[in-house]
């Protein structure tokens, strides 16, 4: 059963006062962002996809580089996937880039290269859900469409004192109703951005800055002292520890390195990577070599450990041990190292242009440093 402690949001004057306070605050404190200064549908769309599960500070340089290289839908649709993935490299969640690419092609084929202005048509594009469609059309075209994402979900839950987990069906439905009811007759895009900005800068998940919140006098959670309990308990990611191994294998002359374009269905598919164990944890180096031999057709001999790096992927905390290695070869092949099937020896110059995972790029950078 959904519990809302403040039913005042059903009153028009309450909603009007919240809008006034929020928009006045936004007018003074809004961050200057490139997609805000020129909010075309294309730019807003690219920014919204990049901002999914990624912070603004991280997105900014990627957005600027992306727009400079791909200024419109036609250029995005025409780019080769490998170059697109190189532009996206480091942002993670690479499925977002592929969805952008697929959507751009659909826009060109079905909409003449013009980003659609009809909600259902936007919703039908790959990688776009209800929130993203509403954000694009409200921010770029001032269409009266509500949005509900992490920041607004938290702001709205606290405003009305919604104690239930906002991801439950009933609570989520109520928050969408609230979001729609709060929209002004004009300026919905500005209101939506103001709501997100308040959640990002003031009404944060922990230790919200209630003292400087423009909505403090209207906030049910603050009046009840429940800021730390609202939104209701969300499921937290349970991380699993995993140990993986990567191998730097050079050709006979030592000027090229063994890499593979990762096949579809595997982590980082479409990117390039050094031989590595993945999607499992292995106890020892010998076990890793056996796995590489069986699974990748690479019969290698380890020379030395280069370095170890720790990183996180989805729900895994990974310790990656990187070793230099050589391929087993017969006496006749000592002056010429042949790449196993499905693999390719790549020069240092080629490495700089290929899309790599974050740890793959770290390995490549290390190789440049010791050249």
């Amino acid at each position: 059963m959904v519990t809302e402690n403040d039913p005042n949001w059903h009153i028009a004057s309450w909603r009007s006062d919240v809008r006034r306070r929020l928009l006045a605050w936004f007018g003074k404190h809004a961050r200057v962002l490139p997609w805000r200064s020129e909010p075309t549908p294309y730019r807003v769309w690219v920014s919204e996809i990049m901002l999914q599960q990624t912070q603004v500070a991280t997105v900014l340089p990627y957005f600027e580089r992306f727009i400079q290289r791909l200024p419109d839908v036609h250029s995005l649709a025409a780019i080769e996937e490998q170059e697109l993935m190189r532009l996206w490299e480091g942002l993670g969640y690479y499925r977002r880039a592929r969805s952008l690419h697929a959507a751009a092609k659909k826009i060109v084929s079905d909409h003449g290269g013009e980003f659609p202005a009809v909600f259902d048509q936007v919703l039908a594009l790959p990688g776009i859900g209800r929130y993203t469609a509403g954000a694009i059309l409200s921010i770029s075209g001032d269409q009266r469409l509500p949005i509900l994402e992490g920041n607004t979900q938290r702001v709205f839950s606290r405003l009305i004192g919604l104690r239930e987990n906002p991801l439950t069906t009933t609570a989520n439905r109520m928050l969408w109703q609230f979001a729609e009811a709060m929209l002004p007759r004009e300026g919905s895009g500005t209101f939506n951005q103001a709501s997100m900005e308040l959640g990002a800068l003031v009404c944060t998940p922990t230790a919200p800055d209630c003292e400087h919140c423009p909505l403090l006098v209207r906030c049910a959670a603050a009046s009840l002292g429940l800021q730390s309990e609202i939104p209701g308990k969300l499921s937290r990611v349970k991380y699993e520890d995993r140990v993986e191994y990567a191998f730097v294998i050079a050709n006979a002359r030592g000027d090229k390195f063994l890499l593979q374009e990762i096949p579809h269905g595997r982590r980082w598919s479409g990117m390039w990577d050094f031989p590595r164990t993945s999607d499992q944890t292995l106890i020892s180096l010998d076990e890793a070599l056996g796995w590489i031999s069986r699974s990748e057709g690479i019969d290698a001999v380890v020379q030395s450990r280069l370095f170890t790096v720790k990183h996180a992927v989805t729900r895994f905390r990974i310790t990656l041990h990187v070793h230099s290695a050589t391929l087993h070869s017969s006496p006749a092949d000592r002056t010429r190292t042949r790449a196993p099937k499905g693999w390719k020896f790549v020069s240092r110059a080629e490495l700089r242009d290929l899309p790599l995972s974050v740890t793959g790029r770290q390995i490549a950078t290390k190789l440049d440093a010791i050249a």
Side-chain angles (χ1 to χ4, degrees):
M1 184 73 179
V2 175
T3 303
E4 54 166 310
N5 291 290
D6 188 355
N8 285 326
W9 68 270
H10 297 284
I11 302 172
S13 59
W14 185 96
R15 298 195 301 271
S16 179
D17 185 56
V18 167
R19 289 189 208 104
R20 180 182 59 78
R21 292 172 180 273
L22 179 60
L23 292 172
W25 172 85
F26 186 64
K28 295 179 180 178
H29 299 283
R31 289 171 291 183
V32 177
L33 301 173
W35 47 88
R36 284 181 180 164
S37 60
E38 191 180 342
T40 65
Y42 177 74
R43 291 168 65 90
V44 174
W45 170 44
V46 171
S47 72
E48 287 296 334
I49 300 300
M50 285 187 169
L51 286 165
Q52 291 172 4
Q53 299 178 292
T54 309
Q55 295 182 344
V56 168
T58 301
V59 164
L60 283 170
Y62 282 92
F63 179 84
E64 298 281 15
R65 185 166 62 249
F66 192 98
I67 292 298
Q68 184 176 11
R69 172 64 183 83
L70 304 172
D72 52 40
V73 172
H74 287 282
S75 57
L76 174 55
I79 195 174
E80 292 292 331
E81 182 175 304
Q82 183 170 297
E83 187 178 354
L84 173 63
M85 299 305 283
R86 183 68 179 92
L87 279 172
W88 201 270
E89 181 186 304
L91 266 180
Y93 301 100
Y94 296 99
R95 185 178 299 175
R96 297 180 297 174
R98 294 190 185 90
S99 294
L100 268 175
H101 203 198
K105 292 178 179 179
K106 186 176 178 65
I107 293 169
V108 169
S109 63
D110 296 358
H111 303 285
E114 293 293 328
F115 198 94
V118 178
F119 180 82
D120 288 343
Q121 292 177 346
V122 177
L123 196 62
L125 295 173
I128 293 183
R130 182 181 179 183
Y131 154 70
T132 305
I136 296 168
L137 294 177
S138 67
I139 295 171
S140 68
D142 199 28
Q143 293 195 34
R144 198 171 184 275
L145 294 166
I147 63 170
L148 190 66
E149 42 72 66
N151 285 315
T152 54
Q153 177 180 274
R154 182 171 58 257
V155 170
F156 298 163
S157 292
R158 285 172 174 165
L159 271 176
I160 64 176
L162 182 64
R163 301 193 193 191
E164 187 172 339
N165 182 334
L167 300 181
T168 63
T169 301
T170 50
N172 190 255
R173 184 184 300 118
M174 174 178 285
L175 289 172
W176 275 109
Q177 292 172 349
F178 177 84
E180 187 167 11
M182 287 302 305
L183 291 175
R185 291 188 178 88
E186 296 180 352
S188 291
T190 302
F191 175 82
N192 284 337
Q193 290 182 88
S195 300
M196 289 190 287
E197 195 81 331
L198 187 71
L201 302 182
V202 177
C203 194
T204 50
T206 58
D209 187 10
C210 297
E211 182 181 350
H212 296 100
C213 180
L215 306 183
L216 178 62
V217 297
R218 294 295 187 182
C219 181
S223 66
L224 296 168
L226 297 176
Q227 300 95 314
S228 61
E229 297 178 27
I230 297 177
K233 188 175 182 180
L234 302 175
S235 58
R236 296 186 180 277
V237 176
K238 294 182 179 179
Y239 287 98
E240 298 178 29
D241 292 325
R242 173 176 283 176
V243 177
E244 296 182 359
Y245 296 82
F247 301 94
V248 176
I249 300 174
N251 63 355
R253 294 194 300 179
D255 60 351
K256 293 186 177 183
F257 303 93
L258 195 65
L259 277 87
Q260 177 193 56
E261 185 174 9
I262 303 171
H264 178 71
R266 289 172 56 177
R267 186 204 305 167
W268 302 314
S269 63
M271 311 289 280
W272 286 72
D273 203 7
F274 296 85
R276 78 164 74 204
T277 62
S278 60
D279 301 328
Q280 62 186 302
T281 188
L282 297 173
I283 297 173
S284 69
L285 181 56
D286 287 341
E287 191 177 13
L289 288 170
W291 186 92
I292 286 286
S293 177
R294 293 189 306 272
S295 302
E296 306 293 349
I298 298 174
D299 194 6
V301 178
V302 168
Q303 294 179 310
S304 63
R305 178 184 291 187
L306 295 176
F307 65 98
T308 294
V309 61
K310 295 187 177 183
H311 65 117
V313 177
T314 60
R315 69 179 189 278
F316 300 104
R317 288 181 298 207
I318 299 172
T319 299
L320 177 68
H321 299 302
V322 183
H323 291 77
S324 63
T326 58
L327 292 179
H328 272 299
S329 60
S330 66
D333 289 333
R334 284 175 181 167
T335 59
R336 180 185 176 191
T337 309
R338 296 177 180 175
K341 184 179 180 180
W343 294 81
K344 177 183 178 181
F345 280 107
V346 174
S347 69
R348 296 176 192 273
E350 290 173 313
L351 265 177
R352 297 184 189 105
D353 294 329
L354 289 176
L356 304 176
S357 67
V358 170
T359 50
R361 183 58 62 193
Q362 287 178 309
I363 295 172
T365 301
K366 175 78 76 172
L367 293 176
D368 266 347
I370 62 177

